[in-house]
């Protein structure tokens, strides 16, 4: 799989759900200090039907950086928007495991959707941070919104901490 696969390039050229929108509960800003990629990300949560837990009603972002970082933000929005929070955290766990596998986990399209395109990124440790930047911002925003993100824990090493602006 090419590092910049066609799916990654498509998401980078035409990011889905880009642009900061209202209403939102929390906005966070994260920067990858090693390359300068940046993301401002907003989340808006609502209670699911019949008290089933929170649903990600909206996630919006403004991403500046390499194709991998921008495409990852686009895939995050595409895969998580409108879904129960618990499902989005499951997607994150699977994506994180794939990205930190050093290329041994090809990813499961049933679990990560278009995120499977990032499987090749796992072979380039410096680029893993680029792919995880939007997801780190997403987890931070959820935590700041008061959501329980404890199920986002992974058994693999955590992503490098991103500096906030």
């Amino acid at each position: 799989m090419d590092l910049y696969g066609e799916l990654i390039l498509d998401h980078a050229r035409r990011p889905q759900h880009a642009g900061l929108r209202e209403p939102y509960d929390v906005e966070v800003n994260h920067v990858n200090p090693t390359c300068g990629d940046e993301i401002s990300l907003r989340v808006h949560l609502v209670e699911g039907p019949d008290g089933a837990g929170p649903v990600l009603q909206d996630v919006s972002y403004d991403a500046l950086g390499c194709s991998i970082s921008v495409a990852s933000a686009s895939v995050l929005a595409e895969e998580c928007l409108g879904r129960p929070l618990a499902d989005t955290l499951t997607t994150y766990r699977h994506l994180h495991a794939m990205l930190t596998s050093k290329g041994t986990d090809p990813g499961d399209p049933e679990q990560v959707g278009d995120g499977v395109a990032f499987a090749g990124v796992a072979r380039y440790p410096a680029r893993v941070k680029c792919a995880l930047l939007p997801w780190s911002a997403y987890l931070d925003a959820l935590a700041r919104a008061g959501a329980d993100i404890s199920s986002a824990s992974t058994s693999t090493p955590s992503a490098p901490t991103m500096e906030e602006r």
Side-chain angles (χ1 to χ4, degrees):
M1 178 183 276
D2 260 341
L3 173 61
Y4 288 97
E6 201 55 42
L7 190 57
I8 292 173
L9 289 175
D10 284 347
H11 274 281
R13 288 183 194 126
R14 289 175 292 287
Q16 302 297 301
H17 311 285
L20 296 171
R21 291 184 295 279
E22 293 186 14
Y24 64 96
D25 301 316
V26 175
E27 178 177 335
V28 297
N29 301 291
H30 280 233
V31 176
N32 180 344
T34 59
C35 67
D37 290 351
E38 296 182 44
I39 186 165
S40 294
L41 183 134
R42 293 177 175 175
V43 296
H44 181 55
L45 302 173
V46 295
E47 188 59 34
D50 301 321
V55 170
L56 181 65
Q57 175 143 359
D58 194 23
V59 60
S60 61
Y61 62 92
D62 185 18
L64 300 170
C66 69
S67 294
I68 291 173
S69 180
V70 172
S72 184
S74 177
V75 167
L76 182 155
E78 192 73 4
E79 297 301 326
C80 296
L81 191 62
R83 292 182 54 211
L85 183 60
D87 291 353
T88 71
L89 296 174
T90 297
T91 298
Y92 164 75
R93 281 194 316 276
H94 286 279
L95 184 79
H96 185 274
M98 179 188 73
L99 284 168
T100 58
S101 75
K102 297 182 180 174
T104 62
D105 180 352
D108 180 354
E110 292 294 316
Q111 298 295 331
V112 297
D114 281 356
V116 76
F118 296 94
V121 173
R123 294 189 312 261
Y124 302 90
R127 304 317 297 269
V128 169
K129 291 186 266 183
C130 300
L132 286 176
L133 178 67
W135 293 88
S136 296
Y138 176 62
L139 292 178
D140 183 24
L142 292 177
R144 290 174 186 238
D148 177 9
I149 63 166
S150 60
S151 67
S153 303
T154 59
S155 59
T156 57
S158 62
T161 303
M162 302 299 165
E163 291 180 7
E164 283 190 51
R165 288 197 304 160

